[in-house]
Amino acid sequence: MPFDRYNRDIDYLRISLTDACNLRCVYCMPEDMTFRPRQELLTDDEHRRLITLFGQLGFRKIRFTGGEPTLRPGLVGLVRHAVNTPGITTVGLTTNGVLLDQLAQPLRDAGLQTVNISIDSLDSGKFRHLTRWGNLRDVMAGLDAAARAGLRIKLNAVVCRSVNDRDDVVALARLTLTNAWQVRFIEQMPFGNNAEFQKRGMVGEGELIGVLTRTFGPLELINGGQLDGEARLYRLPGAAGVLGFVSPVSQPFCAGCNRMRLTADGVLRLCLLRDSEVDLRPLLRGGADDSAVAAAIRRAVAEKPWGHGLEQHLIPITRGMSEIGG
Ligand code: SAM
């Protein structure tokens, strides 16, 4: 079973299917970002092989991400494979929602259970500003389609100082009054060249709770503050849904980290915010048998760092968020 050297049960794999994206969120990547050539990305067959192996090794949860995973033509088939993989009990998707209008039902039919849709503002002008290229209407259509298809819905908003840290947070939180969704506010994390911009823009959980409390009254803390995945949950008075705060900067949750990340080019990233990696692609393309690939995965799990080093001002530099998948 995948226990690391700190006795954490590492059973959650996040798979980035492509580093490419159809948006250019200001806190995620530069507008002129270039992407990896197709031949560097793992093929669908290579993904299927790895998913099967991870299931055999004791991983229970898989989330597909990107870049933008809906740009990957084989997404529905890969979701179906993951859902049918022995050992895997939960399969999710993180998407910007732009293409979800057409894909939500096929994904649901393939067995997808949950979808996290990134939406930083309900104001179309601010949404465009934050995503550079996005049209809020597309995402709202995707969100409707996901709800109609019966997918469990979480909304992800990255909060940026002086952009969407007041009215937008309130408007997003208000969605939970009538919808049984989890609306999550994510602290901006620093990566490489963009780190200074991201650090300046970061708005912490405490400040956001203050903003929401002033509008809605005291929030109800759920589960005594015990994290649900990476989110601390609260409920607005009388709400159908919940609020989640994902606060890796102000309240790191490394002690409970159960994840590994597979980048689109086949590298296992051992911690989102550290550059330690184990490259599986040479094994996959060099004829290694399953036991050799499984041994490399076990070694990677064993080498997982304790946690990020943001408090010591250690910033990851080799890849940005869009190249890892969040
Ligand atoms: N394209 C998909 C999406 O938009 O959800 C999946 C990939 S995206 C990298 C995954 C999540 O990371 C999104 O919710 C995005 O807003 C978030 N994100 C991107 N850069 C971030 C940063 N610097 N700090 C915190 N979250 C970030």
Side-chain angles (χ1 to χ4, degrees):
M1 294 304 279
F3 279 88
D4 73 359
R5 65 195 143 137
Y6 304 104
N7 211 30
R8 293 175 296 195
D9 187 1
I10 311 301
D11 63 355
Y12 179 9
L13 178 68
R14 299 172 65 102
I15 301 177
S16 172
L17 292 178
T18 172
D19 57 333
C21 192
N22 43 3
L23 299 182
R24 293 289 182 277
C25 298
V26 291
Y27 50 77
C28 190
M29 65 171 108
E31 187 160 19
D32 60 355
M33 184 79 183
T34 53
F35 301 113
R36 288 175 193 281
R38 184 75 190 87
Q39 64 272 20
E40 286 187 16
L41 306 188
L42 295 190
T43 63
D44 288 0
D45 279 346
E46 287 166 336
H47 275 297
R48 277 191 279 272
R49 180 177 176 201
L50 283 180
I51 290 167
T52 302
L53 271 175
F54 275 96
Q56 287 167 0
L57 284 167
F59 279 67
R60 287 179 275 262
K61 178 170 174 183
I62 285 182
R63 172 168 297 277
F64 292 103
T65 177
E68 176 45 44
T70 59
L71 295 179
R72 177 99 185 196
L75 172 65
V76 172
L78 289 172
V79 165
R80 187 176 300 110
H81 178 81
V83 166
N84 292 321
T85 295
I88 302 298
T89 56
T90 310
V91 179
L93 173 75
T94 298
T95 171
N96 60 31
V98 170
L99 300 175
L100 206 52
D101 185 20
Q102 297 300 313
L103 276 169
Q105 191 60 54
L107 285 166
R108 181 74 187 113
D109 295 342
L112 186 74
Q113 294 143 339
T114 75
V115 66
N116 289 14
I117 301 174
S118 300
I119 182 166
D120 300 329
S121 174
L122 298 176
D123 174 289
S124 55
K126 277 198 209 170
F127 181 82
R128 164 72 74 163
H129 167 80
L130 283 162
T131 59
R132 290 201 185 96
W133 295 0
N135 185 333
L136 181 63
R137 266 202 314 261
D138 296 338
V139 181
M140 294 312 278
L143 174 56
D144 281 351
R148 275 198 312 276
L151 288 163
R152 203 159 62 243
I153 292 172
K154 294 182 185 173
L155 301 184
N156 284 345
V158 174
V159 183
C160 304
R161 181 161 304 287
S162 307
V163 184
N164 64 339
D165 55 344
R166 293 288 182 266
D167 299 352
D168 307 81
V169 165
V170 169
L172 285 162
R174 190 167 277 127
L175 292 175
T176 64
L177 291 175
T178 48
N179 299 288
W181 302 336
Q182 186 181 132
V183 173
R184 312 195 315 166
F185 300 110
I186 302 176
E187 289 180 351
Q188 228 180 114
M189 289 170 264
F191 291 87
N193 292 339
N194 218 8
E196 287 313 311
F197 170 84
Q198 288 154 330
K199 281 198 264 182
R200 273 197 310 277
M202 201 283 285
V203 183
E205 174 177 336
E207 186 175 333
L208 292 181
I209 288 182
V211 169
L212 293 169
T213 303
R214 282 194 289 283
T215 305
F216 296 103
L219 314 185
E220 176 199 343
L221 181 65
I222 298 176
N223 290 337
Q226 203 181 309
L227 297 189
D228 170 55
E230 66 274 50
R232 197 173 350 276
L233 301 185
Y234 289 83
R235 189 178 283 111
L236 296 180
V242 297
L243 303 175
F245 292 85
V246 181
S247 310
V249 182
S250 70
Q251 302 188 52
F253 39 84
C254 307
C257 183
N258 62 344
R259 296 134 199 247
M260 297 289 276
R261 294 174 168 84
L262 180 66
T263 66
D265 54 327
V267 165
L268 273 180
R269 178 104 179 170
L270 312 187
C271 165
L272 175 60
L273 290 162
R274 285 197 188 260
D275 288 326
S276 29
E277 298 184 338
V278 171
D279 194 353
L280 298 180
R281 197 178 57 181
L283 292 172
L284 295 173
R285 297 200 175 163
D289 64 13
D290 283 354
S291 64
V293 181
I297 296 170
R298 272 200 213 92
R299 266 199 312 278
V301 168
E303 285 167 19
K304 185 174 163 63
W306 163 248
H308 68 61
L310 295 184
E311 279 159 11
Q312 295 79 45
H313 308 290
L314 292 171
I315 308 285
I317 52 169
T318 56
R319 292 174 193 260
M321 190 67 142
S322 65
E323 300 163 286
I324 307 169

